[in-house]
Amino acid sequence: MPPPSTPAPTRRRCLQLAAGGLVPLAARTWGAPSTTVRLSHVVARDTPKGMALERFRTLTEERSQGRIRVQVYPQGQLYGDHDEMQALQLGAVDMVAPSLSKFGPIGFPEFELFDLPFLFDSLEAVRRLTRGRVGQTLLQSLQRQRLTGLGFFDNGFKHMSANRPLLEPRDFVGLRIRVQASRVIAQQMRAWGAWPVTLPFSETRRALERGVVDGTENPVSNFWTQGMQAVQSDLSLTAHGYLGYAVVTHQRFWESLPAADRRLLQGALEDALVFGNEIADAQNDKALAALHLTGAAHLNSPTAAQTRLLKNAALPVHGELAARIGHDWLRTVHNALQKTS
Ligand code: LMR
């Protein structure tokens, strides 16, 4: 396992000492941390999630003048999809930021609504949902497992990749497609004629390379930063589903903190998530521009008719979820979305 990243003040201290034994500036202004928050996630630093959580780290350390330290472990260095929630429950880490798709399998099926194909037509629609009563209800539901939900934030819309264009259902037939552990996403792939294969994010690129799976779905920033363009010839810009996150801590940890520290962390996180939402589009656009520029993958855009075919084929997935989590809950979601559009 790679060593934890060295926090900036410590790095500065080391440089100053190495440069001739100067009195360490940071040590004068920032005392030793009295609280450490260990935060684990599975994607690269230069993704919307990686950057938002780095911002959380710097804001917390600045505002507490180094008294609260945040150690961010990116790229599944510490824990992957299978074990990060368990690590949180056991107190091996203090915060995680899984995608919303990863809450269904651990006992929160209400979160599966975010995976519904073509549910959202913009990030604004998502944000208004997460900032309203639906979002509050979802965060509160986490208390069932003594978790505290601290906030939602975006990556963006997912697109399909494979070694051929995937623009309409007949293109998917017979392909094995890597999916997150989400029943909705698995049903969506079956509805389009593919075989869903659930794999942790950290294993996806290798599985594509070895031909264990033929394709997958990602926002462009995740596709690019994992180097999937080296093992997938085509990215089809289907924008068929949303990928976002929730930051979660354990009540045991959260309640062990003084109220003032909780307020400081909550404030730093809120600001970091606003920043994350602001840069999410730009990071995805940058990754798309890089793909264009390097010609590393063919970029395909579906026609309106092809998008309609994908949408219509996936309609039964909405009904299946409603049967599982309750028609009332989905009606509440649709009403909230209508109010916002
Ligand atoms: C995935 O597993 O595809 C995503 O949840 C990865 C992430 O956290 O963005």
Side-chain angles (χ1 to χ4, degrees):
M1 184 193 312
S5 59
T6 312
T10 309
R11 246 191 341 258
R12 264 205 307 277
R13 268 204 302 276
C14 294
L15 286 177
Q16 286 163 341
L17 290 170
L22 299 174
V23 177
L25 183 65
R28 257 191 285 147
T29 50
W30 285 8
S34 57
T35 300
T36 300
V37 180
R38 296 157 302 169
L39 200 171
S40 172
H41 70 89
V42 300
V43 295
R45 274 185 213 278
D46 51 345
T47 54
K49 175 156 70 180
M51 291 172 72
L53 297 178
E54 271 304 305
R55 178 61 68 105
F56 170 58
R57 182 181 71 73
T58 49
L59 289 178
T60 300
E61 292 181 354
E62 274 165 27
R63 290 178 189 177
S64 70
Q65 299 189 317
R67 198 173 47 73
I68 307 179
R69 173 180 181 188
V70 179
Q71 287 181 323
V72 182
Y73 299 93
Q75 285 276 39
Q77 276 175 14
L78 275 192
Y79 299 102
D81 291 341
H82 282 331
D83 48 10
E84 65 179 1
M85 274 297 188
Q86 203 185 359
L88 183 67
Q89 295 279 9
L90 294 173
V93 288
D94 308 308
M95 281 187 196
V96 292
S99 80
L100 301 172
S101 317
K102 290 171 187 162
F103 288 84
I106 59 162
F108 302 104
E110 310 92 304
F111 278 73
E112 292 183 56
L113 75 95
F114 291 103
D115 292 333
L116 283 171
F118 299 106
L119 179 67
F120 302 108
D121 52 18
S122 68
L123 286 180
E124 275 63 46
V126 179
R127 288 176 198 167
R128 290 192 210 128
L129 194 68
T130 51
R131 285 176 191 159
R133 200 161 66 78
V134 170
Q136 279 312 311
T137 308
L138 287 169
L139 292 183
Q140 276 160 15
S141 72
L142 296 170
Q143 292 171 6
R144 294 203 298 264
Q145 291 187 24
R146 304 205 55 223
L147 301 173
T148 301
L150 297 173
F152 294 102
F153 63 121
D154 298 324
N155 186 320
F157 286 95
K158 296 177 291 183
H159 307 287
M160 292 304 317
S161 70
N163 288 321
R164 67 187 198 211
L166 296 179
L167 296 167
E168 54 179 283
R170 66 176 177 194
D171 301 332
F172 287 71
V173 174
L175 292 188
R176 286 157 304 165
I177 303 285
R178 179 268 167 172
V179 295
Q180 304 180 70
S182 153
R183 279 188 285 188
V184 169
I185 301 175
Q187 282 166 351
Q188 164 201 279
M189 293 304 173
R190 279 191 212 102
W192 292 339
W195 293 101
V197 179
T198 302
L199 285 176
F201 184 69
S202 56
E203 289 170 26
T204 302
R205 189 190 180 284
R206 198 172 328 147
L208 289 165
E209 188 173 16
R210 295 188 175 165
V212 175
V213 287
D214 305 301
T216 187
E217 53 165 30
N218 274 299
V220 194
S221 56
N222 278 359
F223 182 80
W224 172 255
T225 53
Q226 294 299 313
M228 291 191 192
Q229 60 279 3
V231 293
Q232 299 270 267
S233 67
D234 283 70
L235 184 65
S236 299
L237 302 172
T238 46
H240 59 274
Y242 168 75
L243 182 75
Y245 309 107
V247 181
V248 181
T249 183
H250 195 276
Q251 280 173 16
R252 185 183 44 235
F253 170 74
W254 196 238
E255 284 161 15
S256 74
L257 299 172
D261 286 359
R262 286 203 294 265
R263 274 196 302 276
L264 188 149
L265 286 165
Q266 183 83 57
L269 189 64
E270 270 163 27
D271 291 346
L273 299 189
V274 167
F275 164 78
N277 285 350
E278 279 166 10
I279 54 128
D281 267 350
Q283 284 304 111
N284 282 310
D285 288 350
K286 252 195 224 166
L288 191 61
L291 281 172
H292 260 302
L293 203 71
T294 57
H298 299 127
L299 299 172
N300 316 296
S301 296
T303 62
Q306 286 173 319
T307 299
R308 232 180 354 262
L309 288 175
L310 286 175
K311 214 169 175 167
N312 288 343
L315 277 178
V317 178
H318 291 239
E320 283 163 32
L321 179 63
R324 222 170 39 244
I325 64 171
H327 290 270
D328 286 350
W329 175 241
L330 271 198
R331 241 191 313 273
T332 308
V333 167
H334 280 288
N335 288 343
L337 284 175
Q338 261 156 25
K339 269 189 223 136
T340 64
S341 53

